[in-house]
Amino acid sequence: MYTDPIADYLTRIRNAQSAGHKVVEIPSSKMKKDITRILEEKGYILSHKFDNNGPQGTIKIALKYTNDKEPSIRRIERISTPGLRKYVGATELPRVLNGLGIAVISTSRGVITDKEARNLKVGGEVICYVY
């Protein structure tokens, strides 16, 4: 049992990339599925597959590397934690690396990127930064 499953998800991706693994398997949840979908849409991972084995299911993520074996995700960090939630309004949405990275935001419209939240003019909880 762990207190922050999203931080565990991000750490598993970080550790798998530093070890040079091609695939990482992570316990599933709705929030993790949404974050995985965003990572694939934005080109940070190759593909993903949801397996509904057991009560929780798993997510298998195929990691993406450059030609010189560098991971495509340079940094992935948790912003809002269970001990200190980080909420932003529609006008205070963060820009990661001046627009080169993405911030994953949990809004009333679902889990979306900072750019989509700006277009929809909604704020929410800042889950993580990816670049």
Side-chain angles (χ1 to χ4, degrees):
M1 180 89 184
Y2 40 89
T3 58
D4 192 1
I6 302 301
D8 178 65
Y9 167 84
L10 300 177
T11 301
R12 285 180 191 231
I13 291 175
R14 209 177 299 121
N15 290 344
Q17 283 188 327
S18 66
H21 293 296
K22 295 194 183 328
V23 177
V24 62
E25 197 168 314
I26 301 168
S28 181
S29 74
K30 187 175 182 323
M31 174 82 77
K32 291 177 195 175
K33 286 180 181 179
D34 291 339
I35 295 171
T36 304
R37 179 187 45 80
I38 289 172
L39 289 177
E40 186 177 7
E41 284 174 4
K42 299 303 176 185
Y44 289 106
I45 60 174
L46 284 175
S47 64
H48 67 280
K49 181 180 174 188
F50 302 130
D51 289 333
N52 292 328
N53 305 358
Q56 188 173 6
T58 58
I59 304 171
K60 289 185 181 178
I61 298 174
L63 300 172
K64 185 175 180 181
Y65 296 93
T66 63
N67 291 337
D68 4 332
K69 307 287 189 242
E70 290 291 319
S72 64
I73 298 175
R74 298 275 183 223
R75 189 162 180 178
I76 185 166
E77 66 180 286
R78 180 83 156 117
I79 302 302
S80 182
T81 62
L84 181 63
R85 298 290 184 188
K86 176 81 170 134
Y87 295 98
V88 293
T91 57
E92 303 120 23
L93 287 165
R95 288 175 58 91
V96 181
L97 281 181
N98 205 17
L100 295 177
I102 62 168
V104 179
I105 315 285
S106 176
T107 67
S108 58
R109 304 267 180 102
V111 179
I112 56 176
T113 65
D114 56 328
K115 294 174 183 108
E116 293 167 351
R118 242 182 242 100
N119 290 341
L120 295 173
K121 294 182 176 52
V122 294
E125 182 182 357
V126 182
I127 304 298
C128 63
Y129 291 161
V130 182
Y131 53 92

